[in-house]
Amino acid sequence: MKITKPKTLASFIVAIALISLSVWFSNGPNFFSFFSFFGSTADVTLTGSTPDTVSESTLVKHADAEANMEIVIGLAGRNTADLDALLERQSDPQSSDYLNYLSVDEFVARYSPTQSDVDSVVKYLALNGIKVKLIPANRLLIHAEGNVAQLERAFHVQINEYQYLAGTASTPVSTTYLSNDRDPSVPAHLKNIVVSVIGLNTLDSFQSRIARPMGPPAHPRQSALTPKDVAEGYNLPNSNNKNSTRRLNGSGVTMAIVTAEGYDPKDVESYWQRTNVNRTGKVIDVPINGTTKAINEETTMDLELMGAQLPAADIHMYIASDARFVNFALAFNQMVTDNKADVMSVSWGLCERGTGWLMIKTENMIFKQAASQGIALFASSGDDGVYDCKQKKLRWEVDFPSSSPYVTAVGGTTFVIDKGARVSESAWEGSGGGISNHFDRPTWQSGRGIPDGDKRQSADVSMAADPYTGYLVTYKGGLMKIGGTSASAPTMAALWGMNVIATGRRLGPANPHFYRIGRSPDYNKVFFDVVKGQNGAGRGPGYKAKAGWDNATGWGAPDGEELVKYMTRTTPKKTK
């Protein structure tokens, strides 16, 4: 082909532009990306979106351009200052808004992104060939999919294949995954709309908070805790506790468990039969982003323990197809927009540093919606003590989602009983707890023992979690003993469900209630103050349990009967 030299500067510039357009559009038409091709600085970087795992991994190669990936885009809510003020009033007994909660439609009308904002993002995705799979009713998320080339073009990153080496020196485990090499960016017109792009990394996911006995115990072994042991040891007001005259077995409350992978119905039915639990409530499975045939011990244990203490309650199981960040964001959001559950428990998490601030912001907005609707959220505080990030360099870190101010962080104890009677209870060394890197101190977080500072602190409350004094579980047909804050979270959520039954209404986030109790003369009646132990997880120093509140156990462990009495006495009757 004969190339003719341009005769003027203007024609030369036009020629270069035409060549550039031809090259760029050969990869797919994209108006916004075209301008970024010339080095436009109008794009806005979503700082903090590149996982730590990338810097700890080995680059293998540039990812296959045709490899398909799923993403979730988190959108910014509206009127957030007004929402925050409403949430304060809903938890303030002196306010006319106390315990008066919104419907999903009311939340969407006041606080969700506008349809116009959603349309702007959808249009941009379409220009890059990225297909939208789902826009939930609250419009806080957009679930989409595209190939590597499309995602690179849309978010101005390079997606590579990396190798991550985990495990131990003697038994290393190598994993290959895809990830963005830098923080993504979006056009300036989406600056105030897009909060996060979740899913550009295929390795990072939430982790189960199950703990198993390892090595010789630091104290005498005891038989695994049965539902009867737990009910009697914590004086729960249900039929498992022979000492209680109350039968708050689940009628009048709806529960939810958010988890990854499924369970075998034969296991849970066998467990309830073996432990003399007469289950009458329904278990409703809600698959998230496809169904899964995988059976998971975490999912199994959560359902068995919660179902045993609330045998008449319906339990909605929000089962993500796997534990990727994308799927947990979708699962939390589905639970909130369904708005069927009064109380939710989750026993999966990751340290804040590993989760990343922008994903945390997106999920925390979902948790705010849950709070505005009166849904109480409980989460495991973690099983690695103050060292929640499993890295060679020891850092004091806390677990998410339990670090959210709208979630009750349930820590763990070493709980020794004899024939249903309490013998001793101390902080379990693996109980997660510490100071958040991100969340400001909530106004309700004050009381005896809480140190000065301007950041959210956890744990909030605790129950048995030490695997050596662990819970009886049936999994894959066999009986076993399992611990971890994975077990304390659904058990605590079940107790809160009893309070919903007793008061006849949703009670919203449990933390404002717990901290109000902690500051009251009723504290030592409602809580067993745990004053021994620490949460260094055998890796180094941790927080020590002490009188009043502490990071290792929060306010301590509950006396279920006394908690229900307090909540019944102080909760106004529902008027509508």
Side-chain angles (χ1 to χ4, degrees):
M1 179 178 70
K2 183 178 180 181
I3 301 177
T4 303
K5 181 179 179 181
K7 296 181 179 179
T8 65
L9 178 61
S11 60
F12 175 77
I13 293 173
V14 169
I16 292 296
L18 289 172
I19 292 170
S20 300
L21 275 170
S22 176
V23 170
W24 195 260
F25 277 84
S26 67
N27 289 321
N30 183 334
F31 177 80
F32 299 109
S33 296
F34 169 69
F35 284 99
S36 70
F37 179 78
F38 285 101
S40 168
T41 59
D43 295 323
V44 176
T45 300
L46 302 177
T47 305
S49 300
T50 307
D52 281 357
T53 47
V54 171
S55 62
E56 300 168 0
S57 301
T58 302
L59 174 64
V60 177
K61 62 181 179 180
H62 188 193
D64 178 3
E66 296 301 317
N68 200 57
M69 300 179 73
E70 286 184 273
I71 60 170
V72 163
I73 298 175
L75 304 186
R78 291 178 297 126
N79 305 321
T80 52
D82 182 70
L83 173 59
D84 292 344
L86 172 65
L87 295 173
E88 290 278 351
R89 296 194 302 273
Q90 287 177 328
S91 63
D92 180 3
Q94 305 306 314
S95 171
S96 60
D97 284 323
Y98 182 54
L99 304 185
N100 291 326
Y101 299 113
L102 303 181
S103 67
V104 174
D105 288 344
E106 288 171 329
F107 179 89
V108 170
R110 293 164 64 173
Y111 303 117
S112 283
T114 65
Q115 188 61 51
S116 175
D117 286 345
V118 174
D119 292 343
S120 295
V121 179
V122 170
K123 183 178 179 181
Y124 181 67
L125 295 176
L127 285 169
N128 286 279
I130 299 170
K131 297 178 181 179
V132 171
K133 299 185 68 175
L134 173 70
I135 300 174
N138 61 354
R139 302 195 291 264
L140 289 176
L141 306 176
I142 297 176
H143 183 199
E145 63 180 350
N147 64 35
V148 164
Q150 292 165 339
L151 295 171
E152 287 181 330
R153 192 163 63 241
F155 301 112
H156 310 149
V157 297
Q158 180 167 306
I159 297 175
N160 296 320
E161 183 178 311
Y162 294 91
Q163 185 182 51
Y164 181 68
L165 198 61
T168 63
S170 58
T171 56
V173 178
S174 178
T175 303
T176 301
Y177 68 98
L178 304 183
S179 181
N180 51 308
D181 68 333
R182 71 200 78 172
D183 289 335
S185 58
V186 295
H189 75 286
L190 300 180
K191 174 183 178 181
N192 297 320
I193 303 173
V194 175
V195 172
S196 61
V197 181
I198 302 167
L200 295 176
N201 178 293
T202 63
L203 174 67
D204 285 347
S205 59
F206 279 147
Q207 297 170 357
S208 163
R209 292 320 185 199
I210 275 180
R212 295 182 176 282
M214 296 178 66
H219 46 76
R221 292 180 182 269
Q222 70 177 17
S223 298
L225 296 168
T226 66
K228 180 176 179 291
D229 293 329
V230 173
E232 293 180 356
Y234 288 113
N235 197 24
L236 302 186
N238 65 7
S239 57
N240 289 327
N241 180 8
K242 69 177 186 297
N243 302 312
S244 176
T245 59
R246 293 178 184 255
R247 293 293 181 264
L248 303 178
N249 290 336
S251 179
V253 67
T254 301
M255 306 294 291
I257 292 172
V258 173
T259 188
E261 302 183 339
Y263 62 95
D264 185 343
K266 294 179 181 178
D267 281 337
V268 295
E269 290 164 6
S270 172
Y271 175 78
W272 293 326
Q273 289 172 4
R274 286 171 167 174
T275 56
N276 299 312
V277 172
N278 180 26
R279 273 286 302 172
T280 58
K282 299 177 183 175
V283 177
I284 301 100
D285 292 345
V286 185
I288 302 296
N289 199 19
T291 58
T292 176
K293 294 182 179 180
I295 303 301
N296 189 285
E297 60 186 340
E298 177 67 74
T299 304
T300 303
M301 180 178 71
D302 289 359
L303 177 55
E304 289 177 355
L305 299 188
M306 180 184 284
Q309 299 301 345
L310 291 173
D314 290 347
I315 302 176
H316 292 257
M317 300 291 296
Y318 290 87
I319 301 175
S321 54
D322 59 48
R324 287 177 298 152
F325 285 170
V326 163
N327 288 332
F328 266 97
L330 293 171
F332 288 132
N333 201 66
Q334 185 70 53
M335 187 277 300
V336 171
T337 54
D338 282 353
N339 201 28
K340 294 178 179 177
D342 306 303
V343 184
M344 181 216 79
S345 175
V346 60
S347 296
W348 299 74
L350 200 65
C351 68
E352 286 185 332
R353 187 182 301 274
T355 305
W357 174 229
L358 297 188
M359 175 168 156
I360 287 174
K361 285 181 68 175
T362 292
E363 293 196 348
N364 196 55
M365 186 62 186
I366 297 170
F367 300 154
K368 284 186 178 185
Q369 180 177 348
S372 76
Q373 295 168 192
I375 304 171
L377 310 178
F378 293 81
S380 306
S381 70
D383 292 350
D384 297 285
V386 293
Y387 305 105
D388 202 64
C389 283
K390 296 178 180 178
Q391 298 171 324
K392 292 181 180 179
K393 183 178 180 180
L394 295 181
R395 296 189 180 101
W396 286 29
E397 296 271 356
V398 293
D399 210 58
F400 180 82
S402 67
S403 65
S404 167
Y406 305 100
V407 176
T408 295
V410 186
T413 65
T414 298
F415 184 45
V416 180
I417 64 171
D418 182 25
K419 298 178 181 178
R422 300 173 61 84
V423 174
S424 66
E425 192 161 19
S426 57
W428 174 47
E429 66 175 6
S431 178
I435 304 172
S436 171
N437 290 318
H438 299 297
F439 292 113
D440 292 335
R441 176 78 63 89
T443 56
W444 44 256
Q445 190 161 48
S446 64
R448 184 168 67 111
I450 300 175
D452 294 335
D454 58 1
K455 293 297 183 183
R456 154 83 162 129
Q457 305 218 13
S458 62
D460 299 306
V461 291
S462 294
M463 293 183 85
D466 187 334
Y468 289 104
T469 61
Y471 296 72
L472 184 69
V473 171
T474 298
Y475 181 61
K476 292 187 176 180
L479 290 172
M480 58 184 65
K481 182 195 287 188
I482 300 178
T485 54
S486 279
S488 57
T491 306
M492 192 68 172
L495 172 55
W496 195 250
M498 297 174 205
N499 286 275
V500 172
I501 299 167
T503 58
R505 65 186 303 164
R506 285 189 178 181
L507 296 166
N511 282 341
H513 302 288
F514 286 149
Y515 283 79
R516 197 154 42 241
I517 294 169
R519 296 188 296 268
S520 78
D522 292 292
Y523 168 58
N524 288 114
K525 288 174 59 179
V526 177
F527 284 97
F528 300 105
D529 191 4
V530 179
V531 297
K532 295 181 179 180
Q534 52 84 37
N535 68 342
R539 304 180 70 190
Y543 291 102
K544 293 181 179 179
K546 55 184 175 55
W549 187 94
D550 55 72
N551 290 96
T553 65
W555 290 112
D559 180 312
E561 187 81 43
E562 292 298 328
L563 176 60
V564 167
K565 286 180 182 178
Y566 176 93
M567 292 303 301
T568 303
R569 185 177 72 250
T570 60
T571 300
K573 299 292 183 182
K574 190 173 183 181
T575 58
K576 60 177 180 178

